Amino acid sequence: MIRAERLTKQFGATVAVDDLSFEVKPGMVTGFLGPNGSGKSTTMRMILGLDNPTSGLATVGGRSYRENPAPIHEVGAVLDPKAVYGKRSAVRHLTWVAQAGGIPTRRVEEVLDLVGLTQVADKQVGGFSLGMSQRLGIATALLGDPEVLLFDEPVNGLDPEGILWIRTLMRNLAKEGRTVFVSSHLMSEMERTADHVIVIGKGKMVADTSMAEFMRLAAGDAVRVVSPQAATFVPLLEAGGAEVHAEEDPGALLISGIDAARVGELAAEHRIVLHELTTRNVSLEQAFMDLTRDSVEYQSHPAA
Amino acid sequence: MHIASTAPAEREAQATTTAPGFGATVRSEWTKFSSARSNWVSIAVALVLSAALTALIAWATGFTWDDWNAADQADFDPITFSLSGLLVAGIVFVVLGVNLAASEYSSGMIRRSPCDHAQPRSCAACQMSVIAAVTTVAALVVNAAIVAAGNLVFGLHDMPTASLTDRDTVRAIAGLTLVAFVFPIIGVAMAFIFRSSAAAITAVLALLFLPSIPGGLPPRRWQEDVLAWLPGPLTDSVSIGFLTTDSAMTKGVVVSVIGLIIWLVLFLGAAWVLLNCRDAWTR
């Protein structure tokens, strides 16, 4: 399990991570979401002992990374897949990491096979595509067969086959009881992969909840109806405690404050014809945008 | 898809494994060093260029030998005169030391290294051990090669020569070999301090050449009290001081060794402190 307790990181006057507390539990994939510059990578680096927190504590399995005598057996991380010496072969790269962690070098062949790089094991990693580099990074992270895995933007630059492979890998790792903590900007991908989400904005906690609850909260329990009797239905809904907004489509209403069942009952009671009655579905992307609107550091404007 | 090679319970037990130890980290650093072909090319270039430069200078010296006066000819020492090419190897060894550490930053591997070493200082210590071992062995070959090359050429010009088996030759080669690690180690420390190859190499070479820049211009007392205490003259005092006893830059072997230890402690201490307090990522 990963635990952050009041984690804070300042770079000069900039507070990159602000009093962040959360737990990442085993047996599930936890997505780590936030806009650019929200502090995701800094938080991951503090968990991995690469950055020192200004205050607070990050622990993995109850102790800080640097207190762990053999961290490679407990934590595997994929931070920057291109952060390798390009003139070294994949097998030699994995060998030095294995040796540093006291891992038998036969494990190198196992992980190369696992990530599908056996054929290019003797090639210089500088010539690897981004997808191959991601696979090498994952092989490196899995060398110590760790309980906890951190992935920073693991699907960046991957083709659909690579994305599917990583998604399946992360799901399987979680199924095996491991703690999987993954940051990504690709919301649709997180929607398919993560069981739980931690959302931060400007270094502060925005949400720490299950994916289902996150989506429900973001949807705001809104119900969409389309009716040829919309004008008649609006005062009835408002009398029933609902807040109603007319949408652009003819006869379309967006209703909040009461659930879909109650909207249906009201329509039936007053013999209102409905052509559509749906709970509004929002994508994770929309939910994310709604939640982090105030936390985006670099705002863009619609193109003219 | 099955990922694990161990069951969850075994993994939990494994998580409490003790640190892999200094030997494992040294093996890992050796793999890093030895798997970079450029390191071996650099060592080969150092050997060839050092011997070639020595032979060239010896050849040029041979052509002027007959013009030397008797006193100068009597002062000629075939061992020290055959060390002229050593400079090339010295620079290459410094570059090897600096690059071993600085490449961690330029390639981004520094983000990987501390992940695999609970204590990044231990990784730094192992890098220094590897570079010290490599430069010591390489220096032995280079030193023997340049002395042999220089004296071969001196012999062709009927100049005095020294054999590789002479007592003074063996002592000089052994001394030069034993201190060969000093500047590469300072280079590793500088690389951790500056986090940049260019800055670290410049700093080490400045330190190496500082005593030569003013040459014999400063008063003898300055040479004795200031310049002689810089790392370069101290390594010379330890290795070939017995051949240059009348030089203002030459100190006794024991005080020179103590002086070198103080320099190493200063540089390694600075690197150690910075490794402890700086973030690995921040450049």
Side-chain angles (χ1 to χ4, degrees):
Chain A
M1 180 194 286
I2 300 168
R3 178 174 287 153
E5 292 172 40
R6 309 204 66 179
L7 205 55
T8 300
K9 179 68 181 179
Q10 272 184 269
F11 295 106
T14 307
V15 182
V17 176
D18 191 359
D19 202 28
L20 206 57
S21 297
F22 60 83
E23 279 184 2
V24 183
K25 295 186 175 68
M28 63 173 75
V29 177
T30 301
F32 194 30
L33 312 179
N36 283 338
S38 59
K40 299 188 301 296
S41 295
T42 305
T43 303
M44 283 193 158
R45 291 199 304 270
M46 286 193 283
I47 292 167
L48 292 167
L50 288 165
D51 281 3
N52 299 312
T54 305
S55 64
L57 185 66
T59 58
V60 180
R63 56 190 163 185
S64 75
Y65 189 92
R66 287 197 175 183
E67 285 170 0
N68 193 324
I72 194 169
H73 293 287
E74 188 160 334
V75 188
V78 184
L79 292 187
D80 179 357
K82 284 290 182 184
V84 289
Y85 179 66
K87 297 286 175 64
R88 199 169 281 132
S89 68
V91 70
R92 298 291 274 174
H93 171 76
L94 290 167
T95 299
W96 82 255
V97 179
Q99 287 172 329
I103 296 164
T105 46
R106 67 172 181 278
R107 176 69 177 157
V108 169
E109 288 171 28
E110 286 175 18
V111 294
L112 277 169
D113 186 45
L114 177 70
V115 301
L117 290 180
T118 305
Q119 298 282 322
V120 291
D122 294 318
K123 301 265 188 232
Q124 292 186 347
V125 298
F128 278 15
S129 66
L130 186 55
M132 290 161 79
S133 297
Q134 289 280 23
R135 285 171 187 259
L136 180 65
I138 289 167
T140 312
L142 292 173
L143 263 178
D145 197 15
E147 188 67 29
V148 175
L149 286 132
L150 288 88
F151 299 89
D152 193 11
E153 306 285 354
V155 297
N156 267 5
L158 293 188
D159 58 17
E161 191 272 335
I163 291 173
L164 178 64
W165 179 79
I166 287 196
R167 187 194 306 153
T168 310
L169 175 81
M170 288 192 291
R171 298 293 320 160
N172 285 340
L173 288 166
K175 265 189 219 160
E176 291 180 356
R178 300 174 205 251
T179 304
V180 181
F181 192 39
V182 51
S183 80
S184 179
H185 285 106
L186 298 179
M187 298 302 141
S188 55
E189 188 47 43
M190 279 290 92
E191 204 171 343
R192 292 191 186 103
T193 313
D195 306 292
H196 192 93
V197 285
I198 292 172
V199 185
I200 63 170
K202 288 188 176 170
K204 290 186 175 158
M205 180 64 75
V206 173
D208 180 357
T209 182
S210 70
M211 177 64 81
E213 179 67 6
F214 180 67
M215 302 288 278
R216 197 187 65 75
L217 284 174
D221 287 334
V223 179
R224 186 176 193 268
V225 298
V226 178
S227 169
Q229 298 166 270
T232 313
F233 198 24
V234 170
L236 299 172
L237 287 165
E238 286 173 342
E243 192 175 326
V244 186
H245 297 281
E247 293 202 316
E248 281 184 15
D249 297 342
L253 303 171
L254 192 63
I255 302 157
S256 57
I258 56 175
D259 61 15
R262 182 66 191 134
V263 173
E265 284 166 9
L266 279 172
E269 276 172 31
H270 298 90
R271 303 182 67 78
I272 301 288
V273 175
L274 296 183
H275 292 172
E276 182 184 326
L277 170 60
T278 50
T279 300
R280 188 182 74 156
N281 287 316
V282 292
S283 63
L284 178 63
E285 195 165 54
Q286 186 58 50
F288 172 79
M289 299 283 276
D290 290 346
L291 273 172
T292 60
R293 186 167 292 122
D294 298 332
S295 309
V296 176
E297 189 154 2
Y298 308 105
Q299 295 271 10
S300 58
H301 300 283
Chain B
M1 186 189 296
H2 180 65
I3 311 301
S5 64
T6 52
E10 288 173 69
R11 286 207 306 273
E12 203 165 306
Q14 234 181 19
T16 58
T17 308
T18 51
F22 194 78
T25 313
V26 167
R27 273 197 299 281
S28 157
E29 290 301 330
W30 169 249
T31 300
K32 278 161 76 177
F33 180 87
S34 62
S35 59
R37 196 177 56 180
S38 60
N39 288 334
W40 298 113
V41 171
S42 299
I43 290 172
V45 166
L47 175 63
V48 171
L49 283 186
S50 297
L53 184 63
T54 296
L56 191 67
I57 292 173
W59 193 262
T61 308
F63 278 117
T64 63
W65 176 249
D66 292 337
D67 301 330
W68 289 34
N69 63 40
D72 286 345
Q73 286 193 348
D75 283 344
F76 175 79
D77 175 34
I79 300 173
T80 51
F81 269 78
S82 62
L83 299 178
S84 46
L86 196 57
L87 194 63
V88 177
I91 292 171
V92 171
F93 293 161
V94 166
V95 172
L96 280 179
V98 168
N99 278 346
L100 186 64
S103 65
E104 299 269 333
Y105 294 97
S106 59
S107 69
M109 276 198 308
I110 194 71
R111 282 159 262 171
R112 176 82 251 154
S113 295
C115 295
D116 296 313
H117 307 82
Q119 299 296 326
R121 278 83 64 196
S122 133
C123 161
C126 292
Q127 286 187 341
M128 289 176 188
S129 304
V130 167
I131 203 66
V134 168
T135 51
T136 300
V137 173
L140 178 62
V141 177
V142 169
N143 294 336
I146 61 172
V147 172
N151 281 281
L152 180 68
V153 177
F154 292 146
L156 294 174
H157 285 280
D158 295 326
M159 295 166 66
T161 58
S163 160
L164 277 178
T165 53
D166 287 351
R167 189 173 168 275
D168 280 356
T169 311
V170 170
R171 188 176 166 187
I173 289 174
L176 288 164
T177 301
L178 289 174
V179 298
F181 74 92
V182 171
F183 279 96
I185 289 283
I186 292 175
V188 175
M190 290 286 201
F192 281 116
I193 292 167
F194 289 110
R195 300 179 165 200
S196 144
S197 293
I201 290 170
T202 305
V204 181
L205 294 187
L207 194 68
L208 181 62
F209 292 121
L210 192 60
S212 327
I213 294 167
L217 292 177
R220 186 176 173 92
R221 185 156 178 195
W222 282 34
Q223 294 179 46
E224 287 176 352
D225 293 346
V226 180
L227 296 180
W229 293 105
L230 290 170
L234 288 176
T235 55
D236 287 346
S237 295
V238 172
S239 55
I240 53 170
F242 69 99
L243 295 172
T244 57
T245 47
D246 56 339
S247 165
M249 299 284 216
T250 301
K251 299 286 178 191
V253 172
V254 175
V255 292
S256 299
V257 168
I258 292 170
L260 283 174
I261 290 171
I262 292 170
W263 277 109
L264 286 172
V265 167
L266 281 174
F267 285 113
L268 299 186
W272 196 265
V273 168
L274 290 172
L275 270 170
N276 269 316
C277 67
R278 282 200 301 213
D279 293 333
W281 185 278
T282 316
R283 300 220 39 195

